Amino acid sequence: VSQDHSWKQWYQRRVRGDHDSDYKHIAKSLSRVGKAYMKKEDLDKAIYYYDKAITEHRDPNILKERSDVLKLIKEKEKLAYIDPKKSQEEKAKGNEQFKAGRYAEAIEFYNEAIKRNPSDHVPYSNRAACYTKLMEFGLAMSDCDKCIELNPNFIKGYLRKAALLKIDKPAEARTVYEKALEIDPNNAEAKQGLSHCQASLRNLKPEDRAKLAMSDPEIQQILQDPSMQVILEQMQKDPAAAQEHLKNEAVRVKFMKLVESGIVQVR
């Protein structure tokens, strides 16, 4: 790579002097130069030589290496763009637009805030609120999930997610409200939402409640637990065994979850 000028002269002589050159060999040689620059983290020169290489021969391996360099360039640009201070400024502008009811405009500012600081959970939560107002529920849910992923202790992420779920998935919403109450046991919105979900589930017919519960990931996990499967089978056959198993707090909580969902009928 240090003899870059000499390489260019050699390359020009090959192309000008021999039209029957082995283009595959030239492409391979050029890709090696590109790889050397990539190792030196000179990505601009690396992509230059990879581009030269694929004009000689579109080798799949060279194309993949070029694609890898492009990814590195994009990642480098993305990192260079990060600026937490500007992110806060864009978020503040988004908040102003949201308060004014201009939700589409607010989303644009939150988009920029996220680009400026992708690790900040708050713009995802705020953008989820905008998407909810615009009835883009799928996008809102994705942002809630991302918000929770970035900060599992941020209660607003759970509250917004539960609000999206409680209309037609009260069993799943109940689980999310319960997680919110683990963070803040006194949160009024979470308490009210949980109460609403429980009432909705109680008003369903047992068979409908059980069917709905089967879509709840927590219920699915309980039912797929081999130890719980054995316990439930024993409890069905032997009432005395049921009493013994329910002395275990973890088993009792799971069992009551199944009862509340309508999966298990207690007579």
Side-chain angles (χ1 to χ4, degrees):
V1 176
S2 61
Q3 297 178 345
D4 185 38
H5 182 67
S6 298
W7 166 259
K8 289 180 181 177
Q9 290 180 328
W10 177 88
Y11 173 69
Q12 289 168 355
R13 286 198 300 270
R14 286 292 299 268
V15 174
R16 290 174 182 172
D18 184 3
H19 292 291
D20 297 322
S21 297
D22 184 349
Y23 296 115
K24 292 182 180 180
H25 176 72
I26 295 174
K28 192 172 183 180
S29 298
L30 286 165
S31 71
R32 285 173 180 163
V33 178
K35 184 178 290 186
Y37 273 120
M38 183 177 70
K39 289 180 179 178
K40 290 178 65 176
E41 297 185 3
D42 190 339
L43 301 180
D44 290 335
K45 280 191 176 180
I47 203 67
Y48 171 82
Y49 279 101
Y50 276 117
D51 285 344
K52 286 286 187 183
I54 63 174
T55 60
E56 297 296 330
H57 177 61
R58 294 182 68 81
D59 182 279
N61 292 326
I62 296 175
L63 288 169
K64 183 183 181 304
E65 289 176 8
R66 179 182 180 276
S67 177
D68 291 340
V69 174
L70 286 174
K71 287 178 183 177
L72 289 172
I73 290 173
K74 288 180 181 179
E75 185 63 26
K76 187 176 179 181
E77 291 173 347
K78 183 178 177 182
L79 291 173
Y81 198 69
I82 291 175
D83 187 329
K85 184 179 179 181
K86 289 184 178 179
S87 176
Q88 291 293 325
E89 292 171 358
E90 295 298 317
K91 183 171 65 178
K93 293 175 185 176
N95 293 345
E96 290 175 6
Q97 295 296 319
F98 183 87
K99 290 174 183 177
R102 294 189 285 269
Y103 306 119
E105 290 83 352
I107 286 172
E108 293 303 313
F109 286 112
Y110 292 138
N111 288 344
E112 185 65 17
I114 289 169
K115 290 177 184 177
R116 289 291 186 179
N117 190 4
S119 63
D120 185 4
H121 60 282
V122 176
Y124 286 100
S125 174
N126 294 357
R127 192 171 68 177
C130 292
Y131 282 136
T132 301
K133 292 289 187 180
L134 295 172
M135 301 184 73
E136 294 286 352
F137 301 126
L139 293 172
M141 183 64 70
S142 295
D143 273 357
C144 288
D145 287 337
K146 186 63 178 179
C147 172
I148 292 168
E149 177 191 328
L150 290 171
N151 187 348
N153 294 316
F154 185 65
I155 194 170
K156 194 171 286 186
Y158 295 96
L159 295 176
R160 284 184 169 149
K161 180 175 181 176
L164 290 167
L165 290 169
K166 72 178 181 181
I167 298 172
D168 58 351
K169 295 181 179 179
E172 290 184 43
R174 178 185 60 189
T175 299
V176 179
Y177 278 126
E178 287 171 346
K179 289 180 179 178
L181 287 169
E182 288 176 10
I183 298 170
D184 180 4
N186 298 315
N187 185 276
E189 184 178 345
K191 284 182 176 181
Q192 184 178 359
L194 179 60
S195 177
H196 178 273
C197 292
Q198 290 171 334
S200 296
L201 291 168
R202 281 195 299 269
N203 291 333
L204 291 173
K205 294 179 181 178
E207 58 271 23
D208 291 336
R209 189 163 75 249
K211 184 178 179 181
L212 186 63
M214 289 301 295
S215 64
D216 185 338
E218 187 177 5
I219 296 295
Q220 293 173 7
Q221 187 175 11
I222 294 171
L223 293 174
Q224 290 168 7
D225 182 348
S227 61
M228 278 301 295
Q229 291 174 3
V230 173
I231 289 169
L232 289 171
E233 186 177 348
Q234 291 176 350
M235 292 173 76
Q236 188 175 18
K237 294 178 180 178
D238 184 2
Q243 294 299 319
E244 190 63 30
H245 284 305
L246 290 176
K247 292 178 182 179
N248 184 308
E249 179 64 16
V251 172
R252 190 185 69 79
V253 169
K254 291 179 180 179
F255 180 76
M256 291 309 298
K257 182 77 69 175
L258 295 177
V259 171
E260 290 171 6
S261 68
I263 298 291
V264 172
Q265 301 291 322
V266 179
R267 295 179 177 82

